[in-house]
Amino acid sequence: MKHAPFFAEGPQAALFDDDEVQLIEPFDPPLASVKIEPAKTIAGKKPKVPSYLADHRKRLRHRFLTGGAAAMPDYEILELTLFRCIPRQDVKPIARRLIDTFGDINGVLSASVGRLEQVEGVGPAVALELKVMETMTHRMARARVMQRHVISSWDAVLDYCHTIMAHRDIEQFRVLYLDRKNVLIADEQQGEGTVDHVPVYPREVVKRALELNASALILVHNHPSGDPTPSQEDIDMTQQIMSAAQALGLTLHDHLIIGRARELSFRSQGII
C-alpha cells in the first residue's frame, strides 16, 4: 500500500436545481423549513409534462415492468431513476452523460456526491437518489453473505466485495470476521485513504477480532487503478497482521485485492 498525502473533497454545490425542487415536498419535516420558489403556473395550473416525454416515460416503464429490464442499457435504467427527481425534463442526456463520465452503472453509483454534481444536470436531489440506490445494492449484496458459511458462499463473497469496492476512486480496507465454523459474523471497514494508500493498524484489526469473539479473518482492500497486483507494502502489512493474528490464536484465511475487473487472492498466489 503506497504512501501518499491525504486529500479532502471540494465544497458541495448549491442546494437544489430548479428542476429538482419537487423532490423535497414529500420528505420528512427537517426539509420542510427549506424555502422553495413555487413552480411557474399558467392560469393557476402547474405546467404539464410534454406529451412526447410522457409517452417516452410510459414506454420505458412498460418495458421494464414486462420483463425487458435485463435487455435495457445502463443509461435507460438511470433514466427510470431520474424520472422521480426530474419530473418535467428529458433526462436521457443526463443519463448518457453519467454513463460516459463513469463508465457504467456501478461507476455511477460508486462516484462521490462531489463528482456526481460535476456532471451537467446533476444536482443534490439526483445525487441523493443515486447514493440511495448504491446503499440498497450494497445491502442486498451484504445480505447474501452475512451469517453464511464463507467457503460454500465464496462466489457471493467475491461478488459482494466487487460491488462495494471495485469502482471506488480511493482505497478502502475492510475485514471480514468469521466464527469457528467459518460463518461470516461481521464485515467492517477499518480504513479509507487516498488513491493509492490506506492506513492499516494490525493491532486494531486483531483487537476487534477478539471483541467479536472471531476465530478467523479475511482482509480485503481495493486498488483504484484497477490492477490488483499487490505492492511490497501490501505484502509487508499482510505479514504483520498475520503474525499478530497467529500470536492470539486467530487464523488469517486470505487477503483479497479488488480490481476493476478481477480480484487477487494472496492465498491462491501463495503469498500467505
Side-chain angles (χ1 to χ4, degrees), residues 212-233:
L212 293 168
N213 198 29
S215 296
L217 52 152
I218 298 171
L219 311 178
V220 190
H221 86 279
N222 63 307
H223 278 182
S225 68
D227 180 4
T229 303
S231 65
Q232 188 58 50
E233 289 85 353

Side-chain angles (χ1 to χ4, degrees), residues 1-7 171 192-199 233:
M1 300 179 187
K2 300 176 183 178
H3 293 275
F6 285 92
F7 65 91
E171 281 201 19
E192 196 165 70
T194 67
V195 294
D196 61 357
H197 167 65
V198 60
E233 289 85 353

Side-chain angles (χ1 to χ4, degrees), residues 195-214:
V195 294
D196 61 357
H197 167 65
V198 60
V200 178
Y201 305 100
R203 181 177 180 275
E204 295 303 316
V205 172
V206 296
K207 176 184 175 182
R208 184 59 179 154
L210 296 177
E211 292 173 350
L212 293 168
N213 198 29

